[in-house]
Amino acid sequence: DADVTQTPRNRITKTGKRIMLECSQTKGHDRMYWYRQDPGLGLRLIYYSFDVKDINKGEISDGYSVSRQAQAKFSLSLESAIPNQTALYFCATTQPPADTQYFGPGTRLTVL
Amino acid sequence: AQTVTQSQPEMSVQEAETVTLSCTYDTSESDYYLFWYKQPPSRQMILVIRQEAYKQQNATENRFSVNFQKAAKSFSLKISDSQLGDAAMYFCAYRSPILLQGAQKLVFGQGTRLTINP
Protein backbone atom coordinates (compact mmCIF):
# COMPACT_ATOMS: atom_id res chain seq x y z
CA ASP A 1 0.00 0.00 0.00
CA ALA A 2 1.15 3.54 -0.79
CA ASP A 3 2.47 5.53 2.16
CA VAL A 4 1.09 8.85 0.89
CA THR A 5 -2.24 8.85 -0.93
CA GLN A 6 -4.18 11.61 -2.61
CA THR A 7 -7.82 11.75 -3.66
CA PRO A 8 -9.10 12.33 -6.21
CA ARG A 9 -6.39 11.49 -8.77
CA ASN A 10 -8.12 13.54 -11.44
CA ARG A 11 -10.83 16.17 -11.23
CA ILE A 12 -12.54 18.45 -13.72
CA THR A 13 -14.60 21.28 -12.33
CA LYS A 14 -16.09 24.60 -13.33
CA THR A 15 -15.12 28.13 -12.45
CA GLY A 16 -16.55 29.23 -9.10
CA LYS A 17 -16.94 25.74 -7.64
CA ARG A 18 -15.48 24.77 -4.28
CA ILE A 19 -13.02 21.90 -4.49
CA MET A 20 -11.26 19.88 -1.81
CA LEU A 21 -8.19 17.76 -2.43
CA GLU A 22 -7.29 15.26 0.26
CA CYS A 23 -4.01 13.79 1.38
CA SER A 24 -3.47 10.91 3.80
CA GLN A 25 -0.24 9.33 5.00
CA THR A 26 0.64 6.22 6.94
CA LYS A 27 4.27 7.14 7.52
CA GLY A 28 3.61 8.73 10.91
CA HIS A 29 5.21 12.00 9.80
CA ASP A 30 4.41 15.28 11.49
CA ARG A 31 5.21 17.59 8.61
CA MET A 32 3.00 17.80 5.55
CA TYR A 33 3.14 20.02 2.48
CA TRP A 34 1.03 20.97 -0.52
CA TYR A 35 2.81 21.82 -3.78
CA ARG A 36 1.52 22.89 -7.15
CA GLN A 37 3.21 21.89 -10.42
CA ASP A 38 2.85 23.95 -13.59
CA PRO A 39 4.65 23.19 -16.85
CA GLY A 40 8.04 24.89 -17.01
CA LEU A 41 7.86 26.09 -13.40
CA GLY A 42 8.68 23.02 -11.36
CA LEU A 43 6.83 22.61 -8.05
CA ARG A 44 5.92 25.52 -5.81
CA LEU A 45 4.84 25.45 -2.17
CA ILE A 46 1.23 26.38 -1.37
CA TYR A 47 0.90 25.55 2.35
CA TYR A 48 2.68 23.48 4.94
CA SER A 49 1.93 22.15 8.41
CA PHE A 50 4.39 21.07 11.09
CA ASP A 51 1.68 19.52 13.27
CA VAL A 52 -2.08 19.55 13.75
CA LYS A 53 -2.08 23.01 15.34
CA ASP A 54 0.45 24.56 12.98
CA ILE A 55 -0.46 25.85 9.51
CA ASN A 56 1.77 28.10 7.43
CA LYS A 57 1.46 29.81 4.06
CA GLY A 58 3.86 29.01 1.29
CA GLU A 59 4.84 31.17 -1.64
CA ILE A 60 1.57 30.87 -3.58
CA SER A 61 -1.21 30.54 -0.98
CA ASP A 62 -3.66 33.07 -2.44
CA GLY A 63 -6.91 31.39 -3.45
CA TYR A 64 -6.21 28.30 -1.35
CA SER A 65 -6.91 27.17 2.20
CA VAL A 66 -5.94 24.04 4.12
CA SER A 67 -7.08 21.94 7.02
CA ARG A 68 -5.00 19.54 9.10
CA GLN A 69 -7.69 17.26 10.49
CA ALA A 70 -5.26 14.82 12.08
CA GLN A 71 -1.60 13.98 11.96
CA ALA A 72 -2.25 11.76 8.98
CA LYS A 73 -4.60 14.02 7.00
CA PHE A 74 -4.00 17.35 5.28
CA SER A 75 -6.62 18.79 2.91
CA LEU A 76 -6.31 21.57 0.36
CA SER A 77 -9.37 23.61 -0.62
CA LEU A 78 -10.06 25.95 -3.48
CA GLU A 79 -12.95 28.08 -2.24
CA SER A 80 -13.87 29.38 -5.68
CA ALA A 81 -11.89 27.67 -8.40
CA ILE A 82 -10.56 29.67 -11.34
CA PRO A 83 -8.99 28.44 -14.60
CA ASN A 84 -5.43 29.47 -13.69
CA GLN A 85 -5.61 27.00 -10.81
CA THR A 86 -5.52 24.23 -13.38
CA ALA A 87 -2.41 22.28 -12.39
CA LEU A 88 -0.99 19.13 -10.87
CA TYR A 89 -1.13 19.17 -7.06
CA PHE A 90 1.18 17.15 -4.83
CA CYS A 91 1.12 16.38 -1.16
CA ALA A 92 4.39 15.53 0.59
CA THR A 93 5.49 14.47 4.07
CA THR A 94 8.69 14.45 6.04
CA GLN A 95 9.85 13.83 9.58
CA PRO A 96 12.77 15.61 11.23
CA PRO A 97 15.65 15.07 11.49
CA ALA A 98 15.35 13.27 8.17
CA ASP A 99 15.39 15.57 5.17
CA THR A 100 13.73 13.47 2.52
CA GLN A 101 10.23 14.41 1.44
CA TYR A 102 7.91 11.66 0.28
CA PHE A 103 5.34 12.60 -2.33
CA GLY A 104 1.84 11.38 -3.05
CA PRO A 105 0.83 10.39 -6.59
CA GLY A 106 -0.58 13.82 -7.41
CA THR A 107 -4.01 15.17 -8.31
CA ARG A 108 -4.57 16.61 -11.76
CA LEU A 109 -7.12 19.42 -11.45
CA THR A 110 -8.72 21.09 -14.45
CA VAL A 111 -10.87 24.19 -13.96
CA LEU A 112 -13.02 25.05 -16.97
CA ALA B 1 15.66 33.53 -1.45
CA GLN B 2 17.14 30.43 -2.92
CA THR B 3 16.68 29.68 -6.60
CA VAL B 4 17.36 26.56 -8.65
CA THR B 5 17.97 26.62 -12.40
CA GLN B 6 17.94 23.75 -14.85
CA SER B 7 19.05 25.15 -18.18
CA GLN B 8 18.27 22.08 -20.28
CA PRO B 9 14.51 21.74 -20.88
CA GLU B 10 15.06 18.53 -22.86
CA MET B 11 17.83 15.96 -23.24
CA SER B 12 18.08 12.71 -25.12
CA VAL B 13 20.51 9.82 -24.96
CA GLN B 14 20.97 6.44 -26.59
CA GLU B 15 20.16 3.42 -24.51
CA ALA B 16 23.24 2.16 -22.59
CA GLU B 17 25.03 5.50 -22.96
CA THR B 18 25.78 8.07 -20.27
CA VAL B 19 24.00 11.39 -19.87
CA THR B 20 24.54 14.35 -17.55
CA LEU B 21 21.79 16.70 -16.44
CA SER B 22 22.79 20.15 -15.21
CA CYS B 23 21.57 22.12 -12.21
CA THR B 24 22.78 25.34 -10.67
CA TYR B 25 21.47 27.06 -7.59
CA ASP B 26 21.82 30.31 -5.75
CA THR B 27 22.05 30.56 -1.97
CA SER B 28 23.85 32.46 0.74
CA GLU B 29 23.67 29.52 3.14
CA SER B 30 26.67 27.32 3.80
CA ASP B 31 24.81 24.20 4.81
CA TYR B 32 21.93 22.75 2.85
CA TYR B 33 20.65 19.67 1.03
CA LEU B 34 20.31 19.00 -2.67
CA PHE B 35 18.11 16.42 -4.35
CA TRP B 36 17.30 14.96 -7.72
CA TYR B 37 13.74 13.74 -8.20
CA LYS B 38 12.45 11.72 -11.13
CA GLN B 39 8.90 12.09 -12.45
CA PRO B 40 7.92 9.38 -14.93
CA PRO B 41 4.67 9.52 -16.93
CA SER B 42 2.88 8.08 -13.90
CA ARG B 43 3.41 11.56 -12.31
CA GLN B 44 4.88 10.09 -9.14
CA MET B 45 7.79 12.09 -7.72
CA ILE B 46 10.56 9.62 -6.94
CA LEU B 47 13.71 10.50 -5.04
CA VAL B 48 16.77 9.58 -7.09
CA ILE B 49 19.65 10.87 -5.00
CA ARG B 50 20.48 13.36 -2.26
CA GLN B 51 23.59 15.29 -1.26
CA GLU B 52 24.46 17.11 1.94
CA ALA B 53 26.44 20.26 1.27
CA TYR B 54 28.85 19.61 4.14
CA LYS B 55 29.95 16.33 2.56
CA GLN B 56 32.70 16.66 0.00
CA GLN B 57 32.17 13.19 -1.38
CA ASN B 58 29.76 13.00 -4.28
CA ALA B 59 26.67 10.87 -3.67
CA THR B 60 26.17 7.69 -5.69
CA GLU B 61 23.15 5.39 -6.03
CA ASN B 62 23.79 2.51 -8.41
CA ARG B 63 23.84 3.99 -11.94
CA PHE B 64 23.13 7.51 -10.66
CA SER B 65 25.83 9.83 -9.38
CA VAL B 66 26.24 13.52 -8.83
CA ASN B 67 28.99 16.03 -9.43
CA PHE B 68 28.63 18.51 -6.58
CA GLN B 69 30.69 21.66 -7.00
CA LYS B 70 29.91 23.79 -3.95
CA ALA B 71 31.96 26.83 -4.90
CA ALA B 72 30.39 26.91 -8.33
CA LYS B 73 26.95 26.12 -6.89
CA SER B 74 26.52 23.33 -9.38
CA PHE B 75 24.86 19.95 -8.84
CA SER B 76 24.75 17.78 -11.96
CA LEU B 77 23.27 14.29 -12.24
CA LYS B 78 25.03 11.60 -14.24
CA ILE B 79 23.09 8.56 -15.39
CA SER B 80 25.28 5.70 -16.58
CA ASP B 81 24.15 2.81 -18.77
CA SER B 82 20.87 4.57 -19.55
CA GLN B 83 17.80 2.37 -19.60
CA LEU B 84 14.40 2.88 -21.19
CA GLY B 85 12.90 3.12 -17.73
CA ASP B 86 15.00 6.20 -17.02
CA ALA B 87 12.85 8.26 -19.38
CA ALA B 88 11.18 10.92 -17.24
CA MET B 89 11.22 14.52 -16.11
CA TYR B 90 14.09 15.14 -13.70
CA PHE B 91 13.90 17.87 -11.11
CA CYS B 92 16.73 19.32 -9.11
CA ALA B 93 15.70 20.63 -5.67
CA TYR B 94 17.26 22.58 -2.81
CA ARG B 95 16.41 22.49 0.87
CA SER B 96 17.61 24.68 3.66
CA PRO B 97 18.34 23.01 7.02
CA ILE B 98 17.59 26.14 8.99
CA LEU B 99 14.33 26.14 10.98
CA LEU B 100 12.85 29.31 9.58
CA GLN B 101 9.48 30.04 8.10
CA GLY B 102 9.12 27.74 5.14
CA ALA B 103 11.90 25.59 6.44
CA GLN B 104 12.28 22.20 4.90
CA LYS B 105 10.29 23.23 1.87
CA LEU B 106 11.87 22.15 -1.36
CA VAL B 107 12.79 24.74 -3.97
CA PHE B 108 12.59 23.10 -7.38
CA GLY B 109 14.15 23.78 -10.73
CA GLN B 110 12.05 23.86 -13.88
CA GLY B 111 12.83 20.29 -14.82
CA THR B 112 14.62 18.48 -17.66
CA ARG B 113 12.74 16.00 -19.81
CA LEU B 114 14.98 13.02 -20.57
CA THR B 115 14.27 10.79 -23.56
CA ILE B 116 16.00 7.44 -23.99
CA ASN B 117 16.42 6.34 -27.61
CA PRO B 118 16.47 2.54 -28.15
Side-chain angles (χ1 to χ4, degrees):
Chain A
D1 289 340
D3 294 320
V4 184
T5 58
Q6 292 182 234
T7 55
R9 292 296 311 278
N10 297 280
R11 180 73 183 268
I12 300 174
T13 190
K14 295 182 178 180
T15 297
K17 294 291 187 181
R18 184 178 188 275
I19 295 296
M20 178 179 287
L21 309 182
E22 298 186 343
C23 176
S24 295
Q25 52 108 351
T26 59
K27 300 186 77 67
H29 290 172
D30 288 327
R31 301 188 175 187
M32 299 186 73
Y33 303 77
W34 275 104
Y35 290 91
R36 167 178 171 161
Q37 183 181 14
D38 296 282
L41 292 179
L43 280 74
R44 294 177 292 166
L45 183 66
I46 306 172
Y47 269 96
Y48 62 101
S49 171
F50 282 0
D51 62 44
V52 176
K53 297 180 180 180
D54 179 80
I55 302 289
N56 302 280
K57 292 182 177 181
E59 58 185 303
I60 54 165
S61 60
D62 287 348
Y64 302 94
S65 63
V66 292
S67 173
R68 185 81 183 266
Q69 302 95 324
Q71 184 203 39
K73 296 184 182 296
F74 191 35
S75 300
L76 176 71
S77 294
L78 287 68
E79 297 301 325
S80 179
I82 57 177
N84 76 0
Q85 291 178 313
T86 293
L88 190 54
Y89 291 85
F90 285 98
C91 173
T93 75
T94 192
Q95 182 69 28
D99 51 79
T100 299
Q101 289 193 12
Y102 297 90
F103 285 82
T107 294
R108 183 171 297 284
L109 176 65
T110 301
V111 183
L112 302 177
Chain B
Q2 296 84 15
T3 59
V4 177
T5 302
Q6 293 177 249
S7 58
Q8 306 154 315
E10 296 182 350
M11 293 279 287
S12 63
V13 64
Q14 291 295 127
E15 191 176 5
E17 305 258 311
T18 295
V19 64
T20 299
L21 308 183
S22 301
C23 173
T24 58
Y25 57 94
D26 186 28
T27 184
S28 58
E29 296 170 332
S30 59
D31 194 17
Y32 45 86
Y33 297 88
L34 296 164
F35 305 84
W36 278 98
Y37 279 87
K38 168 184 177 181
Q39 186 180 39
S42 67
R43 303 186 323 213
Q44 183 74 46
M45 294 290 286
I46 302 167
L47 179 66
V48 175
I49 200 165
R50 59 189 283 273
Q51 173 83 40
E52 295 93 334
Y54 63 85
K55 290 187 177 179
Q56 293 185 341
Q57 186 173 6
N58 289 323
T60 300
E61 288 288 342
N62 300 314
R63 298 182 295 107
F64 298 87
S65 62
V66 298
N67 183 5
F68 174 48
Q69 301 289 327
K70 190 173 183 179
K73 298 179 182 176
S74 170
F75 183 60
S76 60
L77 174 69
K78 185 172 81 171
I79 306 174
S80 304
D81 185 25
S82 298
Q83 301 175 0
L84 295 177
D86 294 334
M89 281 288 285
Y90 285 82
F91 291 95
C92 178
Y94 171 103
R95 206 214 86 191
S96 168
I98 301 173
L99 192 64
L100 298 173
Q101 185 178 20
Q104 293 198 317
K105 75 169 186 177
L106 291 171
V107 178
F108 285 85
Q110 305 91 325
T112 297
R113 182 173 301 281
L114 178 64
T115 301
I116 311 296
N117 300 314

